[in-house]
Amino acid sequence: MSFKPIRKAVFPVAGLGTRFLPATKVVPKELLPVVDRPLIQYAVDEAREAGIEQMIFVTGRGKTGIVEHFDIAFELEQTMTERGKDLSVLDCARATPGDVIAVRQQVPLGLGHAIWCARAIVGDEPFAIFLPDELMVARAGGTGCMKQMVEAYNEVGGNLISVLEVPMEQVSSYGVIDPGEVRGALTEVRGLVEKPPRAEAPSNKIVSGRYILQPEVMRVLENQGKGAGGEIQLTDAMAKMIGTQPFHAVTFDGNRYDCGSKVGFVEATLAIALARPDMGAEVRAIALDLLK
Ligand code: UTP
């Protein structure tokens, strides 16, 4: 069976980033660099690897730098060319003309509301969602999280979310799935609950920041009231779709770093620097020295 291809990705980037203050007072969380690339670029690269063409950013006040990052920096390129500098470092940040679209979420009412703000651009197609502060890193020689999800989508269609397992004492901070039948990396999703108390959590499989959803979710979001934390939650809208359309979770074969938290950000920086051929050995020596 063939399903409509996933051509569009929504990047909700209108959050306030309060956990990362004061760094995020002026600089959007998504532009904080892990080694030498802003967080948003890791997510866009992951989308491109999965064959996605159109990048839709849901931005807010003070977030326009995110869109500019994917523009051509004409003066910079001209000056670098005149000085004989290598321009290839800038290549990856360029977008195909017309493929970057920004919509505005005027008030940060929650992740579900941010996604709904992209409804006119998403239209009647299944689409991907990336939360850029969750940095998903492929295993050496492996593929990225969204590519793994698109491959699973091509088999089962419907809606997919990426999940990972955490110790039970951490579940109350996340969206949690009620798991059904498991087949390899695919788990049927029977239910979803946002930030449940530990005793009521249906599993330790938490929703991590990648989704493939059918466009019907926009109609559910339209009437979605406030949920946990007084925010319009995407998890609540997805929970209503279960039973009406296929719903699966994909356990990502790779590593995930929560760059919305300070410690997670440091962990991601270390992991990526250690894995880089151009600096790994030097960073390892520094880390070992600091640990003495
Ligand atoms: P978070 O829960 O991490 O919120 O949002 P946040 O505002 O970014 O950060 P903290 O918790 O205050 O530190 C998850 C994702 O949803 C987006 C965020 O930008 C982030 O990518 N988001 C959240 C919106 O776009 N709009 C919202 O109203 C809420």
Side-chain angles (χ1 to χ4, degrees), residues 11-21 24 29-30 58-60 63 66 105 107-115 130-134 195 211 231-233 258 260-261:
F11 301 82
V13 292
L16 298 175
T18 53
R19 283 171 296 156
F20 227 122
L21 285 167
T24 47
K29 174 168 71 174
E30 297 77 13
V58 182
T59 70
K63 299 274 186 161
I66 296 170
Q105 183 193 25
V107 188
L109 296 177
L111 174 59
H113 181 260
I115 301 303
F130 291 74
L131 307 194
D133 57 353
E134 295 197 34
K195 301 189 175 62
Y211 313 73
E231 295 196 339
I232 298 174
Q233 297 285 355
D258 178 9
S261 85

Side-chain angles (χ1 to χ4, degrees), residues 119-156:
R119 66 199 178 283
I121 319 286
V122 165
D124 197 24
E125 286 189 33
F127 63 105
I129 300 173
F130 291 74
L131 307 194
D133 57 353
E134 295 197 34
L135 181 46
M136 311 296 261
V137 180
R139 288 200 192 292
T143 55
C145 183
M146 187 51 71
K147 188 161 178 167
Q148 291 177 24
M149 291 177 72
V150 166
E151 281 163 6
Y153 168 82
N154 290 337
E155 260 179 59
V156 294

